[in-house]
Amino acid sequence: RERTGLTPVGAAAGVIVLFASEAAYRTFQAGEERLAGLPVSGHAHGRLVALPAAAGADESAAVLTHELVHLLNQRAIGPALPPWLDEGLAEELAGSARDAAGRSDPGGYGGRLEGDGRRWSATGGLAALLQAARVLENDPGPLLPALLEREWTAFVRGPDAPASYTLSFLFVRFLLAGEEGALAPGFHAFLAAVAAGGPATPPALVAHLGREWPALEASLRAFVAAEAERELAARTAPARTGWRRLFHRQSAGPGPQRPHPAGEPSAAP
């Protein structure tokens, strides 16, 4: 509720299935037509969440959080959300930092920064942030209208699938926290309207935000670049290096590993 302003309808009644190994989950996945061939690390469908035991607690927590958010989206907003919104909300919370007790801290970015002084890599939400910063710097756009209009098939199977996930994550974070929170009331109003049966379309979103696309995208670009610099300055990397030159490579963020199958509602993976 703190992120969306909405209260899920009904009691939570989900079932979580944790496979003992990656191989066991892949065997199950191969038998599911909706999931076969997709690089998923877990999925949610109906009231079921299924995922393999991950290599570490942080990854398991991120995957589980991502899939549970899909179930919450279904109960709070609706069962047929556009991919940028369903995946963006799931990635935004899954990619958040966590405190010592494992509770999510939505204001930060989870994941690790590792390097030897010459080559650096990032994981989790931090990797997604840096990937989004690179995408936005390398592509002058406009990017937002196409992202928000992208259908499930193109979103999860197209050549831009990784960018679709990372940009959706950062766009949702921007709507919640960007411009010192000025956009959050409009975003919450948009979500409430969708939950009440209104359209989840790009025109409906900009109408609630009271912004035009060029100004919105320019503000998003500035927000993502500033977030990247802030996160690196707060970690062990030398801040003077800057995110543009720091990384030789980055590991994949959480999003591209957990797509929905095309055409499925928000409760699907």
Side-chain angles (χ1 to χ4, degrees):
R1 179 170 182 171
E2 292 179 6
R3 305 307 281 166
T4 65
L6 300 172
T7 300
V9 176
V15 176
I16 300 172
V17 177
L18 182 65
F19 287 81
S21 67
E22 181 81 14
Y25 178 78
R26 295 303 171 199
T27 299
F28 166 78
Q29 178 191 355
E32 293 288 316
E33 183 178 354
R34 298 174 299 106
L35 302 174
L38 290 174
V40 295
S41 294
H43 72 280
H45 183 63
R47 295 183 175 181
L48 172 70
V49 169
L51 67 156
D58 289 344
E59 183 181 350
S60 293
V63 175
L64 180 59
T65 299
H66 178 106
E67 303 306 341
L68 290 176
V69 171
H70 284 312
L71 300 190
L72 288 172
N73 287 346
Q74 183 183 32
R75 291 171 53 212
I77 310 172
L81 303 180
W84 77 267
L85 181 59
D86 197 17
E87 294 297 340
L89 288 167
E91 285 296 278
E92 194 273 331
L93 194 58
S96 296
R98 290 180 176 79
D99 62 20
R103 293 183 293 264
S104 294
D105 175 15
Y109 297 85
R112 300 181 302 279
L113 176 67
E114 300 171 339
D116 59 7
R118 295 182 301 112
R119 296 183 177 184
W120 297 82
S121 64
T123 64
L126 177 62
L129 169 62
L130 297 174
Q131 289 166 357
R134 284 185 169 181
V135 169
L136 290 170
E137 183 180 53
N138 293 332
D139 190 332
L143 293 174
L144 281 180
L147 174 67
L148 271 60
E149 292 171 356
R150 197 160 292 155
E151 299 293 339
W152 278 108
T153 299
F155 194 96
V156 304
R157 296 185 183 273
D160 296 328
S164 295
Y165 278 89
T166 57
L167 290 178
S168 295
F169 170 0
L170 269 300
F171 185 50
V172 168
R173 177 64 63 90
F174 166 68
L175 293 175
L176 291 168
E179 299 184 6
E180 299 182 348
L183 298 172
F187 183 46
H188 286 166
F190 167 73
L191 295 177
V194 173
T201 59
L205 176 64
V206 295
H208 281 94
L209 296 175
R211 303 291 179 84
E212 297 296 332
W213 287 119
L216 198 62
E217 183 158 321
S219 185
L220 169 66
R221 290 173 181 274
F223 171 80
V224 172
E227 290 285 277
E229 295 290 353
R230 178 178 65 84
E231 281 295 309
L232 292 184
R235 300 181 188 238
T236 58
R240 65 181 182 275
T241 304
W243 66 265
R244 293 173 179 83
R245 298 174 56 194
L246 182 63
F247 288 92
H248 173 72
R249 65 181 177 85
Q250 298 167 19
S251 66
Q257 300 177 6
R258 295 189 299 279
H260 276 275
E264 286 294 320
S266 62

